[in-house]
Amino acid sequence: MPNNKTVFLGIESSRNAIGITVSHWKDLESIRNWKSHVDHQIAQKRGKQEWHKAYKTRIAKVERDYGFEN
C-alpha cells in the first residue's frame, strides 16, 4: 500500500548560457506526489506563461554518484 509520503532529498542548479536544475527524490511515488501537488501545478503554469520558452523533464535512476575535488 502506498504511503503517500513525498520525500524530497535535494536540488542542484546551474545557470550560464542555459539553465539546468536537478531535483533528487526518494522514489517514483515521491515524484508523482510532487507532480500532482497544487503548489507545483501553479508554478508549472506560471513557468509556461511567464518564464520559459521551453523545458524538458527527465526522470532517471542514479546507480552511482562519485567525484573528486582538489
Side-chain angles (χ1 to χ4, degrees):
M1 171 186 289
N3 63 15
N4 293 325
K5 187 173 180 184
T6 303
V7 180
F8 173 71
L9 301 174
I11 194 166
E12 299 168 291
S13 188
S14 177
R15 298 283 181 266
N16 288 315
I18 63 167
I20 183 169
T21 300
V22 178
S23 60
H24 302 274
W25 302 88
K26 178 180 181 254
D27 51 25
L28 288 174
E29 180 183 5
S30 292
I31 295 168
R32 281 191 288 272
N33 289 343
W34 176 240
K35 184 172 173 52
S36 66
H37 192 281
V38 151
D39 290 341
H40 184 244
Q41 291 176 348
I42 291 168
Q44 278 187 315
K45 185 176 181 179
R46 284 194 68 197
K48 290 175 182 175
Q49 293 173 343
E50 300 173 31
W51 304 319
H52 305 296
K53 293 181 183 176
Y55 72 88
K56 180 179 281 207
T57 299
R58 289 188 180 111
I59 298 174
K61 181 178 179 181
V62 176
E63 295 289 337
R64 259 179 277 174
D65 180 24
Y66 58 90
F68 172 79
E69 190 171 330
N70 194 355

